[in-house]
Amino acid sequence: MRQRITFLQDPADSIDPSKLTVTSTSISTPELTAAREERITFGFDELPQELYKVLKASHELHIRWAGEKVFETRAPLVARLSPGLHVFYTPLRNEGSSEFLCPLLKKVFGDLDCITPEKSFTTLPRDRFSHSSASQFYSPLPNLLDFTSYLTHKLCPSRSATTDPTCLPRVQALSSASTLEIDFDTISHALTLTAYFPPSTQSLSLSKPVLAPSSRMEIGILSVEKPKEVEELSLGGFLTVLGENTKPSPTLFSFPARHHPLPLSQTFVSGFVHPTGLHPTLQLNITSKTPPLDDRACSIHAHLTLPRAIFVDKYQLSDPLFLASKNLAKIHYITSPVDLEAPAYTLSSWGSSVLLELAPPTSPKPSTNQGQQWTSQIPLHLRYLPPSTNTSGLSHLDIPYPILFWACTADEGSKFPINPFDRVNLGYDGLFGPRTLFYHLSPTAPASLSSSTGGVGGGGGEGGRLVNSLEVPVLDLDRSRYVEVGTAVGVLLGFAWVCWCLVGVWGRSGYGSGSGSGREIKEKEKEYKMK
């Protein structure tokens, strides 16, 4: 097992190395203000048997989770995902998908709507760029309680209090993580677990298990430095390998990075335009329309992760005039196929993802930030949801926040090898070329949008959550019996009226009374022909 723990500081919070206490097996300091990334790499022999069965049938498996609460990122870990659980999966070539994958996901993360990869996953395009996984799955997941419970019972019991006393506390600490990543591929033959914790002031006390000499623990305390090239990020600070170093080693290094931060002033808010109805409109309020780079081709994009209950109609977004009226430029990708008519309860796939290019309004360059603000609207459509009870005819639906970023073209000769903090398989990065730079806008979630956006709301940012809520009308089974009885009575009354009319006609004219009139008509036709 290998461990890498990185503390990412703001330059103003950089720690004095004299305040670090380093021994052959531990490192500590009374106070440290930083974000934290923990990465642990496991070998196959350290994994539970049920997990090994799934990985043995997989070419690659990437699990991503992002929390619903607003959190601050810290360079170089600035890439974002919509809140919830994302699974990107590619089976081994010439072999079917693992039948154990969905049962394992349910056991690890809770009650997910996952049947099999063939039924519940959707395919991703792999014709343009090879670094995309073959299929994708998404499910709302507000917390990691089931995951931490699974690790507590499956991982920590094999590590006794003497060999690794930190296992249980560190597993329990995952409940406060903002993001979680689990990665496996056949090239590395190792499983990597990475968790990110937002910036906070904390005490540092880490030690290497004495009875685990083969394990490796690397500690880094780094802050962002000014890079020399646009495509690069630079970090400086101190590195320590417990068991090898007795004092922190200063370091300064640069590396090409695809994901870059934007100023904290460049944010966006998402919310539904009221009234919503069955065809809600998602409005994006963006604080700036200035591209991050002046000398490169840049365009702003929105990536939406939509559960099966709601979808985008790609045919509606094929009209250039309609797109221009919504400050949209083009739809670049949508999960295929998307059934436009099916109710939600007849579908087995998780939903759809959409990549849209936005079109900032063209106007003279404003002198204030207020003039930079603009909005874009995305029309959506709801499916019919299953009937319910005790809901007053309304069903609650949470839609995860979209991801907004500027995509800029790097220099012709730029290359982006894997760096120590690279984040790939995010769903949208595989839809762009390898020489693309991503500049991420930070989402904000105010308590109410309706007061500042003129009729925009829908529960966005309730309690700082990065979700938009809808109340969808559904059939209320508590009241449907009146409709059923009324419909049956109406049909019976209509049938009785028709029968009454037929009986009345038969009583006045008798059975077959119309045959004489038919002979008269034929005789008149003969007379007409003779004339």
Side-chain angles (χ1 to χ4, degrees):
M1 182 177 69
R2 302 189 303 274
Q3 302 181 59
R4 190 191 77 190
I5 303 177
T6 308
F7 295 90
L8 298 169
Q9 296 187 293
D10 189 89
D13 299 323
S14 297
I15 190 172
D16 185 348
S18 62
K19 295 183 179 180
L20 292 172
T21 302
V22 181
T23 68
S24 59
T25 59
S26 66
I27 181 173
S28 62
T29 186
E31 186 175 290
L32 183 69
T33 301
R36 183 170 90 256
E37 183 201 54
E38 295 192 16
R39 175 171 293 188
I40 304 177
T41 303
F42 298 93
F44 269 4
D45 57 338
E46 300 174 289
L47 300 177
Q49 185 66 22
E50 57 194 1
L51 181 56
Y52 173 75
K53 287 181 180 179
V54 173
L55 299 182
K56 188 174 63 174
S58 304
H59 176 72
E60 58 179 334
L61 176 65
H62 307 280
I63 300 175
R64 308 280 185 260
W65 176 84
E68 294 180 349
K69 294 183 178 180
V70 178
F71 65 92
E72 179 186 346
T73 59
R74 184 64 56 84
L77 306 176
V78 295
R80 289 185 177 269
L81 271 174
S82 295
L85 181 70
H86 306 254
V87 182
F88 302 95
Y89 173 65
T90 303
L92 284 177
R93 185 174 296 179
N94 299 326
E95 291 191 19
S97 300
S98 173
E99 59 180 340
F100 303 107
L101 179 57
C102 280
L104 178 65
L105 291 175
K106 292 179 181 180
K107 189 172 184 179
V108 175
F109 293 102
D111 187 18
L112 306 179
D113 190 8
C114 184
I115 305 173
T116 62
E118 290 82 3
K119 293 182 178 180
S120 300
F121 284 54
T122 56
T123 58
L124 290 171
R126 304 194 73 192
D127 51 343
R128 295 182 62 194
F129 310 113
S130 60
H131 55 273
S132 174
S133 300
S135 59
Q136 175 187 6
F137 173 79
Y138 169 81
S139 176
L141 190 67
N143 55 62
L144 293 174
L145 294 179
D146 291 288
F147 178 70
T148 55
S149 177
Y150 177 83
L151 293 184
T152 300
H153 293 90
K154 288 291 185 178
L155 182 64
C156 290
S158 63
R159 303 172 183 276
S160 64
T162 55
T163 58
D164 190 359
T166 64
C167 180
L168 189 58
R170 291 179 68 181
V171 166
Q172 293 173 345
L174 289 175
S175 60
S176 61
S178 293
T179 65
L180 176 76
E181 300 181 7
I182 302 174
D183 295 281
F184 167 80
D185 61 74
T186 54
I187 298 176
S188 64
H189 272 79
L191 184 76
T192 302
L193 187 150
T194 307
Y196 172 79
F197 302 83
S200 64
T201 300
Q202 57 202 291
S203 61
L204 171 62
S205 179
L206 297 171
S207 59
K208 179 182 178 181
V210 179
L211 299 181
S214 60
S215 65
R216 175 185 173 89
M217 179 178 287
E218 180 180 346
I219 312 298
I221 303 177
L222 307 171
S223 58
V224 177
E225 304 289 341
K226 186 176 180 180
K228 295 181 179 180
E229 303 292 338
V230 173
E231 293 84 2
E232 292 183 343
L233 289 176
S234 294
L235 296 176
F238 305 93
L239 297 177
T240 300
V241 179
L242 299 185
E244 298 180 12
N245 307 123
T246 56
K247 63 178 181 179
S249 304
T251 183
L252 177 64
F253 59 96
S254 300
F255 52 88
R258 297 185 72 191
H259 300 277
H260 295 258
L262 283 172
L264 294 178
S265 59
Q266 296 200 26
T267 61
F268 74 95
V269 179
S270 170
F272 285 107
V273 178
H274 282 167
T276 56
L278 291 176
H279 304 278
T281 297
L282 183 67
Q283 180 165 301
L284 306 175
N285 301 280
I286 306 168
T287 59
S288 176
K289 58 183 179 181
T290 302
L293 301 176
D294 296 331
D295 57 343
R296 310 288 176 87
C298 296
S299 55
I300 186 170
H301 295 77
H303 185 262
L304 285 73
T305 302
L306 302 175
R308 67 167 68 102
I310 194 168
F311 64 95
V312 167
D313 184 358
K314 65 178 181 180
Y315 302 103
Q316 184 182 19
L317 299 182
S318 61
D319 183 4
L321 293 179
F322 179 80
L323 290 173
S325 68
K326 304 294 184 181
N327 283 338
L328 301 175
K330 185 180 180 182
I331 180 170
H332 284 279
Y333 170 77
I334 185 170
T335 301
S336 180
V338 175
D339 194 320
L340 304 181
E341 302 294 339
Y345 47 83
T346 64
L347 300 177
S348 58
S349 61
W350 67 267
S352 60
S353 58
V354 183
L355 179 65
L356 282 167
E357 181 180 344
L358 310 184
T362 57
S363 60
K365 189 174 182 179
S367 58
T368 63
N369 289 335
Q370 186 67 26
Q372 286 269 358
Q373 296 180 4
W374 59 288
T375 63
S376 181
Q377 294 185 343
I378 303 173
L380 303 174
H381 306 274
L382 286 166
R383 300 185 186 276
Y384 292 114
L385 302 184
S388 60
T389 58
N390 300 322
T391 59
S392 300
L394 294 175
S395 182
H396 186 80
L397 181 65
D398 284 338
I399 311 299
Y401 250 51
I403 300 300
L404 263 65
F405 55 86
W406 290 90
C408 302
T409 305
D411 281 338
E412 187 68 29
S414 300
K415 295 183 178 180
F416 295 93
I418 299 297
N419 66 65
F421 305 98
D422 202 17
R423 295 191 70 188
V424 295
N425 290 286
L426 301 173
Y428 55 84
D429 56 335
L431 303 176
F432 293 87
R435 294 186 301 104
T436 303
L437 303 176
F438 301 96
Y439 290 83
H440 295 266
L441 282 77
S442 299
T444 58
S448 176
L449 295 172
S450 57
S451 61
S452 60
T453 57
V456 179
E462 292 179 355
R465 299 172 63 220
L466 296 177
V467 295
N468 294 122
S469 300
L470 283 173
E471 297 296 330
V472 183
V474 297
L475 176 63
D476 187 357
L477 294 177
D478 296 329
R479 301 179 181 180
S480 63
R481 61 179 180 271
Y482 301 110
V483 178
E484 295 169 359
V485 173
T487 302
V489 171
V491 171
L492 289 175
L493 290 176
F495 180 73
W497 181 80
V498 172
C499 292
W500 177 259
C501 292
L502 293 175
V503 170
V505 172
W506 179 78
R508 289 193 302 269
S509 304
Y511 178 75
S513 59
S515 59
S517 59
R519 288 193 296 270
E520 293 177 358
I521 293 174
K522 291 181 179 180
E523 291 178 356
K524 290 182 178 181
E525 289 179 353
K526 290 181 180 180
E527 294 178 358
Y528 178 79
K529 290 180 180 180
M530 292 176 64
K531 293 179 179 181

